[in-house]
Coordinates of all heavy atoms in Angstrom, one line a residue:
G7 N 119.8 86.5 124.1 CA 119.5 87.2 125.4 C 120.7 87.6 126.2 O 120.6 88.0 127.4
D8 N 121.9 87.5 125.6 CA 123.1 87.8 126.3 C 123.5 89.3 126.2 O 124.6 89.6 127.0 CB 124.3 86.8 125.8 CG 124.6 87.1 124.3 OD1 123.9 87.9 123.6 OD2 125.7 86.6 123.9
S9 N 122.9 90.0 125.6 CA 123.3 91.4 125.5 C 122.0 92.3 125.2 O 121.1 91.9 124.5 CB 124.3 91.7 124.3 OG 124.7 93.0 124.3
T10 N 121.9 93.5 125.9 CA 120.8 94.3 125.8 C 121.3 95.8 125.6 O 122.4 96.1 126.0 CB 119.9 94.3 127.0 OG1 120.7 94.6 128.2 CG2 119.3 92.8 127.2
N11 N 120.3 96.6 125.0 CA 120.6 98.0 124.9 C 119.3 98.8 125.2 O 118.2 98.3 125.0 CB 121.0 98.3 123.4 CG 122.5 98.0 123.1 OD1 123.4 98.4 123.7 ND2 122.6 97.0 122.2
Y12 N 119.5 100.0 125.8 CA 118.4 100.9 126.2 C 118.6 102.3 125.7 O 119.6 102.7 125.6 CB 118.2 100.8 127.7 CG 118.0 99.4 128.2 CD1 119.0 98.6 128.6 CD2 116.7 99.0 128.3 CE1 118.8 97.3 129.2 CE2 116.5 97.6 128.9 CZ 117.4 96.9 129.3 OH 117.2 95.6 129.7
A13 N 117.4 102.9 125.5 CA 117.3 104.3 125.3 C 117.7 105.0 126.6 O 117.4 104.5 127.7 CB 116.0 104.8 124.9
D14 N 118.4 106.1 126.5 CA 118.9 106.7 127.8 C 117.7 107.2 128.7 O 117.8 107.1 129.8 CB 119.6 108.1 127.5 CG 121.0 107.9 126.9 OD1 121.5 106.6 127.0 OD2 121.6 108.8 126.2
S15 N 116.5 107.4 128.0 CA 115.4 107.9 128.8 C 114.8 106.7 129.6 O 114.0 107.1 130.7 CB 114.2 108.5 127.9 OG 113.9 107.3 126.9
V16 N 115.1 105.5 129.4 CA 114.5 104.4 130.2 C 115.7 103.6 131.0 O 115.3 102.6 131.6 CB 113.8 103.4 129.3 CG1 112.7 104.2 128.5 CG2 114.6 102.6 128.3
K17 N 116.9 104.0 130.9 CA 117.9 103.1 131.5 C 117.7 103.2 133.0 O 117.5 104.2 133.6 CB 119.3 103.7 131.0 CG 119.8 103.3 129.8 CD 121.2 103.9 129.5 CE 121.7 103.3 128.1 NZ 123.0 104.0 127.9
G18 N 117.9 102.0 133.7 CA 117.7 102.0 135.1 C 116.2 101.7 135.5 O 116.0 101.4 136.7
R19 N 115.3 101.9 134.6 CA 113.9 101.7 134.9 C 113.3 100.6 134.2 O 112.4 99.9 134.7 CB 113.1 102.9 134.6 CG 113.6 104.2 135.3 CD 112.6 105.4 135.1 NE 112.6 105.8 133.7 CZ 111.5 105.8 133.0 NH1 110.3 105.5 133.5 NH2 111.5 106.3 131.7
F20 N 113.7 100.3 132.9 CA 113.1 99.3 132.1 C 114.0 98.2 131.9 O 115.3 98.4 131.8 CB 112.8 99.8 130.7 CG 111.6 100.8 130.6 CD1 111.1 101.3 131.7 CD2 111.1 101.0 129.4 CE1 110.0 102.2 131.7 CE2 110.0 102.0 129.3 CZ 109.4 102.5 130.5
T21 N 113.5 96.9 131.8 CA 114.4 95.7 131.5 C 113.7 94.9 130.4 O 112.6 94.4 130.5 CB 114.5 94.9 132.8 OG1 115.0 95.6 133.9 CG2 115.4 93.6 132.5
I22 N 114.6 94.7 129.3 CA 114.0 93.9 128.3 C 114.6 92.3 128.5 O 115.7 92.3 129.0 CB 114.5 94.4 126.9 CG1 113.8 93.5 125.7 CG2 116.0 94.4 126.8 CD1 114.1 94.1 124.4
S23 N 113.7 91.4 128.3 CA 114.1 90.1 128.5 C 113.4 89.1 127.6 O 112.5 89.6 126.9 CB 114.0 89.6 129.9 OG 112.6 89.6 130.3
R24 N 113.8 87.8 127.5 CA 113.2 86.9 126.6 C 113.2 85.6 127.2 O 114.0 85.2 128.0 CB 113.7 87.0 125.2 CG 115.1 86.5 125.1 CD 115.8 86.8 123.8 NE 115.1 86.2 122.7 CZ 115.1 86.8 121.4 NH1 115.8 87.8 121.1 NH2 114.4 86.2 120.5
D25 N 112.2 84.7 126.8 CA 112.2 83.4 127.1 C 111.9 82.6 125.8 O 110.8 82.5 125.4 CB 111.1 83.0 128.2 CG 111.2 81.7 128.6 OD1 111.7 80.7 127.9 OD2 110.6 81.3 129.8
N26 N 113.0 82.2 125.2 CA 112.8 81.5 123.8 C 112.0 80.2 123.9 O 111.3 79.9 123.0 CB 114.2 81.3 123.2 CG 114.8 82.5 122.7 OD1 114.1 83.5 122.5 ND2 116.1 82.5 122.5
A27 N 112.1 79.5 125.1 CA 111.3 78.3 125.2 C 109.8 78.6 125.2 O 109.1 77.7 124.7 CB 111.6 77.6 126.5
K28 N 109.3 79.9 125.7 CA 108.0 80.3 125.6 C 107.6 81.1 124.4 O 106.6 81.6 124.2 CB 107.6 81.0 126.9 CG 107.7 80.2 128.1 CD 107.3 81.0 129.4 CE 107.0 80.2 130.5 NZ 108.0 79.2 130.9
N29 N 108.8 81.3 123.6 CA 108.5 82.1 122.4 C 108.0 83.5 122.7 O 107.1 84.0 121.9 CB 107.6 81.4 121.4 CG 108.0 81.4 120.0 OD1 109.2 81.7 119.6 ND2 107.1 81.3 119.0
T30 N 108.5 84.2 123.7 CA 107.9 85.4 124.2 C 109.1 86.3 124.6 O 110.1 86.0 125.2 CB 107.0 85.1 125.5 OG1 106.1 84.2 125.1 CG2 106.4 86.4 125.9
L31 N 108.7 87.6 124.2 CA 109.6 88.7 124.6 C 109.0 89.5 125.8 O 107.6 89.8 125.7 CB 109.9 89.6 123.5 CG 110.7 90.9 123.5 CD1 112.2 90.5 123.8 CD2 110.4 91.8 122.4
Y32 N 109.7 90.2 126.6 CA 109.2 90.9 127.8 C 109.7 92.3 127.9 O 110.9 92.5 127.5 CB 109.4 90.2 129.1 CG 108.7 88.8 129.2 CD1 109.6 87.6 129.0 CD2 107.5 88.6 129.4 CE1 109.1 86.4 129.0 CE2 106.9 87.2 129.5 CZ 107.7 86.3 129.3 OH 107.2 85.0 129.3
L33 N 109.0 93.2 128.5 CA 109.6 94.6 128.9 C 108.9 94.8 130.3 O 107.9 95.1 130.5 CB 109.2 95.6 127.9 CG 109.7 97.0 128.2 CD1 111.2 96.9 128.0 CD2 109.1 98.0 127.3
Q34 N 109.8 94.8 131.3 CA 109.6 95.2 132.6 C 109.7 96.7 132.8 O 110.8 97.2 132.5 CB 110.3 94.4 133.7 CG 110.0 94.8 135.1 CD 108.7 94.4 135.6 OE1 108.4 93.3 135.3 NE2 107.9 95.3 136.2
M35 N 108.7 97.3 133.1 CA 108.8 98.8 133.2 C 108.5 99.2 134.6 O 107.4 99.0 135.2 CB 107.6 99.4 132.3 CG 107.7 98.8 130.8 SD 106.2 99.2 129.9 CE 106.3 101.0 129.7
N36 N 109.5 99.9 135.3 CA 109.3 100.4 136.7 C 109.5 101.8 136.8 O 109.9 102.5 135.8 CB 110.4 99.7 137.5 CG 110.3 98.2 137.6 OD1 109.2 97.7 137.6 ND2 111.4 97.6 137.8

């Protein structure tokens, strides 16, 4: 989770994150 990349169309609006302890990936979309 120390590095992320985004398509230009979603930069500044979307955030990818993860919680490995919960075995889950997230995408926050604003």
Side-chain angles (χ1 to χ4, degrees):
D8 63 349
S9 183
T10 58
N11 287 294
Y12 299 92
D14 288 342
S15 59
V16 306
K17 283 182 179 177
R19 300 189 298 120
F20 290 12
T21 303
I22 187 171
S23 63
R24 66 194 300 157
D25 188 338
N26 285 340
K28 291 181 167 58
N29 223 24
T30 303
L31 177 75
Y32 303 98
L33 184 67
Q34 178 66 47
M35 309 164 66
N36 299 326

